[in-house]
Structures are given as structure tokens and as C-alpha cells.
Amino acid sequence: MKVVLAVVSSLNGKITKGEITNVRSWASKEDLKYFSSLIKKNNLIVMGRETYEAARSVIKLIPGKQRIVLTRNPERFKPSEVKGQLEFTNDSPTQLVKRMEANGYKTMLLVGGSTISTLFFQQNIIDEVWITLEPNIFGKGKGLVEETDLDVSLQLNSIKKLNKSGTLLLKYSVVRSG
Ligand SMILES: NC(=O)c1ccc[n+]([C@@H]2O[C@H](COP(=O)([O-])OP(=O)(O)OC[C@H]3O[C@@H](n4cnc5c(N)ncnc54)[C@H](OP(=O)(O)O)[C@@H]3O)[C@@H](O)[C@H]2O)c1
């Protein structure tokens, strides 16, 4: 299973602008177009519960596209579950990858936020990072990962300029030592 983390970030690594939870209030329309196509192409999309709550109003459930939300309290969300389309789980990232692999999935698109990305990095199961860098600097906001002693090395695979302002789509592979 290939696990790809896809996020949009400010130049200084913030994935939220202060307290604003709606990424679309600052990310470019070109990133929105790219991200929408990514969602269209992928049939396994994983996110943290906070990200789910922030994006809930724009998430369109469709057959064949499985969204999985990580929460410590999946029971709370049982009424919202839709078989094969929306699941809430407290599986660890490693358990989840194994389970979905056994179900035949080849790629997992992880869409954040900071807490869940950190958890996946800590379990060393992210293979690629696809990051849209917006030409903004935010003093406050959540980081791409939480403040921990993570140390991840990456190799740049591609760069694409998405618009005239210089929004960049950077695709990296995680370099695993040993
Ligand atoms: N710019 C971007 O590309 C981007 C991408 C994604 C998100 N965001 C933004 O980032 C914000 C959310 O990020 P976040 O870091 O606050 O939250 P998050 O990573 O989306 O979700 C955190 C939640 O995950 C659950 N969780 C934590 N540890 C867990 C574990 N060990 N097992 C199972 N579940 C666990 C908990 O839910 P419970 O409390 O239910 O247990 C926790 O509250 C939102 O504002 C969103 O808009 C931005």
C-alpha cells in the first residue's frame, strides 16, 4: 500500500490560518482544482476527526469511495456511518493500512490534519508527501505536523507552478534509512 499525505500549506508550514478551520478561505483556486481531481481519482481517503468536522459540509459521499475518519470515539459517530463510504475507527495507522491492504486497496490518500499526520509519520508509514505551498506566511495556525521531535528526510520528485502568484505543488518521497 502506498500512503500519500496531501496537504496545502503556507510558506512557513501552517496548514490553518490562525483559528480559521476552512482551508478554502486562503488556499488558491488552482489548489482547489488540483485537490478536487485528487479526491476524484482516489478511492481511499483518510483523515482525522477534526479535519472531518471542518470539511463535513463539502464531503460528497459516493459509492466506491471510502472515507475513513480516525477518532478515539468511533461509537459516537456510528449513526453517521455509511457502509463502504464513511467509516469511523480508532485503529492505529499501521493497523488501518494493513486492514485496507487486505481489502485490496493500493493507495491511501491521507489528508491531515496535523495530529493524524504526526501519528502516521511516527509509525513510519507515509511514503510520499504532496504539498501545495501557497505564497503566504501565517504567524498563527496549525503546523503540517505537531511540535514533536520528528525527523523525516524527503527526496523531491517534482515541482509544478500552479499559478502566476507562484503556488507550488511539490511532490516528495520519504527517504527511509536502513
Ligand atoms: N491545509 C490542509 O491541507 C489541511 C489538511 C487537513 C486539515 N487541515 C485543518 O487542520 C485542522 C485539523 O487538524 P488537527 O490536527 O486539529 O486535527 P486532525 O488531525 O484532523 O484530527 C485530530 C483528531 O484525531 C483523533 N485522534 C487523535 N489521535 C488518535 C488516535 N491515536 N487514534 C484515533 N484517533 C485519534 C482525535 O479525534 P477524537 O477527538 O474524536 O478522538 C483528534 O481530535 C482543521 O482546521 C482542518 O481544516 C488543513
Side-chain angles (χ1 to χ4, degrees), residues 13-157:
K14 301 286 187 201
I15 64 157
T16 65
K17 180 180 177 182
E19 300 301 315
I20 300 170
T21 57
N22 180 8
V23 169
R24 293 297 144 210
S25 69
W26 56 270
S28 60
K29 62 178 191 305
E30 291 79 11
D31 173 68
L32 173 60
K33 196 172 160 206
Y34 149 75
F35 190 72
S36 303
S37 73
L38 207 56
I39 295 294
K40 221 177 232 178
K41 278 185 222 150
N42 282 276
N43 57 9
L44 177 58
I45 300 159
V46 174
M47 70 199 87
R49 197 265 306 160
E50 294 276 358
T51 297
Y52 167 71
E53 304 271 18
R56 193 181 210 157
S57 63
V58 295
I59 291 177
K60 289 189 190 81
L61 296 180
I62 53 165
K65 197 176 291 294
Q66 177 73 67
R67 263 113 167 166
I68 299 186
V69 179
L70 290 171
T71 169
R72 292 196 193 85
N73 192 2
E75 286 310 311
R76 191 182 137 207
F77 294 94
K78 272 275 172 252
S80 306
E81 282 203 338
V82 180
K83 200 170 169 26
Q85 297 181 40
L86 181 62
E87 180 194 322
F88 296 83
T89 183
N90 57 4
D91 276 1
S92 75
T94 307
Q95 284 171 332
L96 183 62
V97 167
K98 275 197 187 139
R99 178 159 66 86
M100 299 321 283
E101 213 160 35
N103 287 344
Y105 289 96
K106 302 269 182 261
T107 306
M108 178 183 284
L109 189 70
L110 176 67
V111 295
S114 319
T115 309
I116 290 308
S117 302
T118 306
L119 213 57
F120 272 70
F121 274 124
Q122 284 169 336
Q123 300 192 10
N124 199 21
I125 46 173
I126 295 181
D127 299 296
E128 296 193 13
V129 177
W130 297 355
I131 183 164
T132 306
L133 270 192
E134 294 290 359
N136 301 91
I137 292 173
F138 301 141
K140 285 186 182 167
K142 286 178 191 280
L144 175 66
V145 290
E146 290 181 320
E147 279 195 28
T148 58
D149 53 6
L150 265 184
D151 181 0
V152 180
S153 297
L154 304 146
Q155 166 75 50
L156 180 65
N157 294 326

